[in-house]
């Protein structure tokens, strides 16, 4: 070769193409995005045929909360004056039925018969007392009279009349105080407050 410079020795300079890292990163990113879109599309198709989309939509919708005005209405119970109570003494103590009748009369109840308990119940009521009446009384008169004597047993019979019997038991000591009975009666007739909403 003619010229001023000559290449001597056995080492030659190597020519390399410049590295394009930016293009490589963009290519990898585009491939990942394409795979992700393809996978998402596949899941959407599967949901359409399996009904999964309906569940997703249901989960995304807010739950319908009941209106506070839709709470249970207050229970209507008869007034004490509308309840006729027959009082029977099933204990060995004399005069107990009369004393109980006088006290319930002061508290507004209508008083019917006052006597010793019939043989079927005489000295056979081990608790504080027993309320006895027709089937309707269980959710009508019994709860009102029970505010005066908590813990009294309740039993229905076949009578058709609205009156109820109070059979005084051997553990009877006294009725509830008027204040406690009034509080218990208010609790019965007041509608329960609605539970806290989680909506």
């Amino acid at each position: 070769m003619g010229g001023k410079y000559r290449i001597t020795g056995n080492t030659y300079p190597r020519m390399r193409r410049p590295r394009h890292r930016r293009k490589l990163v963009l290519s990898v990113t585009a491939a990942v995005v394409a795979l992700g879109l393809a996978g998402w599309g596949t899941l959407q198709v599967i949901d359409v045929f399996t009904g999964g989309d309906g569940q997703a939509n249901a989960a995304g919708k807010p739950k319908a909360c009941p209106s506070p005005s839709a709470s249970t209405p207050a229970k209507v119970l008869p007034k004490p004056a509308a309840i006729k109570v027959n009082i029977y003494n099933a204990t060995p103590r004399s005069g107990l039925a009369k004393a109980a009748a006088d006290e319930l009369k002061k508290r507004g109840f209508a008083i019917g018969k006052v006597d010793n308990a019939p043989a079927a119940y005489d000295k056979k009521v081990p608790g504080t007392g027993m309320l006895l009446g027709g089937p309707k009384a269980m959710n009508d008169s019994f709860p009102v009279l029970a505010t005066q004597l908590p813990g009294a047993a309740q039993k229905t019979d076949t009578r058709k009349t609205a009156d109820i019997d109070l059979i005084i038991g051997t553990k009877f000591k006294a009725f509830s105080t008027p204040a406690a009975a009034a509080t218990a009666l208010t609790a019965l007739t007041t509608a329960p407050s609605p539970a806290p909403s989680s909506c």
Side-chain angles (χ1 to χ4, degrees):
M1 293 178 60
K4 187 175 180 180
Y5 301 101
R6 296 189 179 196
I7 297 173
T8 59
N10 54 8
T11 302
Y12 299 92
R14 297 181 180 179
M15 303 299 290
R16 295 182 180 177
R17 292 183 179 180
R19 296 180 179 178
H20 299 288
R21 291 186 179 179
R22 178 185 264 174
K23 289 184 178 180
L24 180 62
V25 171
L26 289 175
S27 299
V28 171
T29 304
V32 170
V33 170
L35 287 173
L37 289 174
W40 180 79
T42 303
L43 288 177
Q44 293 301 313
V45 172
I46 292 173
D47 283 344
V48 168
F49 287 102
T50 60
D53 189 49
Q55 294 177 353
N57 288 340
K61 292 180 181 178
K63 294 180 180 179
C65 296
S67 171
S69 61
S71 59
T72 306
K75 187 174 183 179
V76 179
L77 293 172
K79 300 289 185 183
I83 301 174
K84 184 177 181 181
V85 186
N86 304 312
I87 303 175
Y88 299 101
N89 182 9
T91 76
R93 292 176 284 171
S94 61
L96 200 55
K98 177 71 167 58
D102 291 344
E103 182 60 30
L104 287 181
K105 187 174 182 179
K106 289 179 186 176
R107 300 187 184 197
F109 288 88
I111 305 301
K113 297 177 182 178
V114 179
D115 204 347
N116 291 323
Y121 296 103
D122 191 26
K123 300 179 182 64
K124 296 176 183 177
V125 180
T128 57
M130 175 183 289
L131 308 183
L132 186 65
K136 184 183 176 185
M138 187 63 74
N139 296 313
D140 188 62
S141 304
F142 282 0
V144 178
L145 185 55
T147 61
Q148 310 296 324
L149 189 60
Q154 299 181 10
K155 185 178 178 181
T156 59
D157 56 19
T158 58
R159 76 181 71 184
K160 303 297 183 183
T161 56
D163 63 320
I164 60 175
D165 299 342
L166 169 59
I167 304 173
I168 300 173
T170 55
K171 290 185 179 179
F172 175 83
K173 292 182 179 179
F175 291 113
S176 298
T177 63
T183 300
L185 185 59
T186 300
L188 284 175
T189 55
T190 302
S193 58
S197 175
S198 59
C199 300

